[in-house]
Structures are given as structure tokens and as C-alpha cells.
Amino acid sequence: MTALLCHQFPCLSDNYGVLVHDPHTGATASIDAPDANAVKAALAEMGWSLTDIFVTHHHADHTGGIDALKSDGVTVTGPAAEAAKIKGLDRSVSEGDTVRLGDHEAEILETPGHTLGHIAYWFKADNLAFAGDTLFALGCGRVFEGTPPMMWDSLKKLRAMPDATVVYCGHEYTLSNARFALTVDPGNAALKSRAAAIEAMRDRGEPTLPTTIGAERATNPFLRPDDPGIRAAVKMPGADDAAVFAEIRALKDRF
Ligand code: ZN
Ligand code: FE
């Protein structure tokens, strides 16, 4: 078994596309299909041939390229709960299902909240996860279809992964997330230094993703509603974690 290779590229206004490639078998997946032309250009640049599309949720900026990328030999996998909303799906998956990419296996985690059927792909043995619009660097997705407690449960599943897990996310929202995070977690030294690093990276035009679960556990306020400093900052010292999470999400929505 050879290590999976990932190639991330910006597309649309602030989305990331990611190709995942198993060098041993040649199997190559596009995580979501934000923009068919950008995915095709990335495949050509890497010299890889598409075998799979792994869809995280039904939003157009994640599925708009499926039609133009689909051909014989490309299998489109996506959430069973959103199968009716995603055109071109070949295979529907749910919590605990596994999907293969060459020699590698990903476990499906249902992570509802942003949309009701949102899923994440976790290549456990590879310490690699694709979180779509559930988790971002220093942020999380807007809760469009679900409820804040539902989103918090989803984020807890991601937070429980090993610290070394490398996480790819759907969007480059990190600079705005960092500025917000400092308002609710002002005493967090690790956050302060990460926020400064992010300002510099964005000044240089560099991507701030992928991230790791360890970095997010230490600095992402949406994974830290149980932190006493954050609870003090939002004036909810005795509330339950889901309520504190909901307040942090509401504050960010107005930020
Ligand atoms: Zn979305
Ligand atoms: Fe999105």
C-alpha cells in the first residue's frame, strides 16, 4: 500500500477542489465537483485519471461539476439522505458505510447541520479526512438546514478523530474565521499565534488549508464550547456545550 496523494486547488470564488490519488492503483477521486473545468485542469496538471467523485452535500458549489466530469468509469458517491437532490449519483452511502479508493478505505460519517444529509469521508488508516462544509479552519459551516445542537454533534464526531488527522475543507474562510475567533477566545495564546500566521499566509496568497484536528481542537472556537475562557467570553459559564456552540455560531453569523 502506498500513501495517498492529495492535490488541492482553489476554484469558484472561495471553494477548494481536492484530488485524492492512490499511486499504486491509479484510482483518483475528486472531493466534490465545484467546477468541472478546474477539476479537469488539475487532473491534467497531475497526470491523473478520474475514477471517483466523493460528494459531501448537495449545494451547487459542490455538485455543479458532476455532470461534465461524469463519464464511463467514473463512480459518483454521495449521501443517501440527499440522493434526490444530487443528479448523477451512482452510489448512496450512510453512517458507517465504507468506500474504497484503490487500496485505501474511507469511513462515512454523517455530519448534518449545514445540510441535513451532509457527510464526511474519513480515511482512518491514512489520517486523512474530507469535511466539506461542516468544519473549516477556525470555523464551521453555517447551519442552514439543521439545528445548532445537530451541528455540534457532527463537529464532535470530527473532534474525536486523532490530532494528527489532516483535514481538507470546502472553503477558504480562514482569515475571517480567525478575526472572529479572537473575539470569543481572546486569552488563547495558540489562537493568537495561529491568527497572526494566517494573516501572513493570506497576505502572501497562500492557502491556509488543509488543517489538522489537533490544530482545530486547540484554536477553533466551534470545537471548544466546553472551554472555560470561551464560556466566560460569551457569558455562559454554566450552559451546556450545545447552547454555547449555538451562541458562538449566532455571534459569527452577525460578525
Ligand atoms: Zn455548502
Ligand atoms: Fe460550499
Side-chain angles (χ1 to χ4, degrees), residues 10-21:
C11 55
L12 303 178
S13 57
D14 50 34
N15 282 76
Y16 280 121
V18 188
L19 297 176
V20 193
H21 177 74

Side-chain angles (χ1 to χ4, degrees), residues 21-42:
H21 177 74
D22 174 30
H24 180 229
T25 63
T28 304
S30 177
I31 304 303
D32 288 324
D35 177 339
N37 289 333
V39 174
K40 284 178 183 172

Side-chain angles (χ1 to χ4, degrees), residues 57 59 61-62 114 133:
H57 67 295
H59 285 159
D61 61 314
H62 299 258
H114 179 70
D133 285 359

Side-chain angles (χ1 to χ4, degrees), residues 104-134:
H104 301 257
E105 192 173 77
E107 181 179 326
I108 303 301
L109 301 181
E110 290 181 352
T111 56
H114 179 70
T115 65
L116 286 175
H118 194 295
I119 58 173
Y121 294 81
W122 182 19
F123 288 86
K124 215 188 266 192
D126 297 273
N127 269 337
L128 178 66
F130 299 94
D133 285 359
T134 297

Side-chain angles (χ1 to χ4, degrees), residues 31-142:
I31 304 303
D32 288 324
D35 177 339
N37 289 333
V39 174
K40 284 178 183 172
L43 287 163
E45 184 192 339
M46 303 307 289
W48 298 344
S49 300
L50 192 65
T51 57
D52 290 271
I53 302 174
F54 292 158
V55 181
T56 62
H57 67 295
H58 69 84
H59 285 159
D61 61 314
H62 299 258
T63 57
I66 291 175
D67 224 29
L69 287 170
K70 222 184 142 170
S71 62
D72 291 347
V74 176
T75 303
V76 184
T77 301
E82 298 183 355
K85 293 180 174 172
I86 303 171
K87 268 194 211 140
L89 220 56
D90 298 304
R91 180 176 51 174
S92 297
V93 291
S94 311
E95 178 82 19
D97 286 348
T98 53
V99 299
R100 295 198 68 78
L101 185 70
D103 299 332
H104 301 257
E105 192 173 77
E107 181 179 326
I108 303 301
L109 301 181
E110 290 181 352
T111 56
H114 179 70
T115 65
L116 286 175
H118 194 295
I119 58 173
Y121 294 81
W122 182 19
F123 288 86
K124 215 188 266 192
D126 297 273
N127 269 337
L128 178 66
F130 299 94
D133 285 359
T134 297
L135 178 68
F136 298 125
L138 293 178
C140 75
R142 276 185 185 258

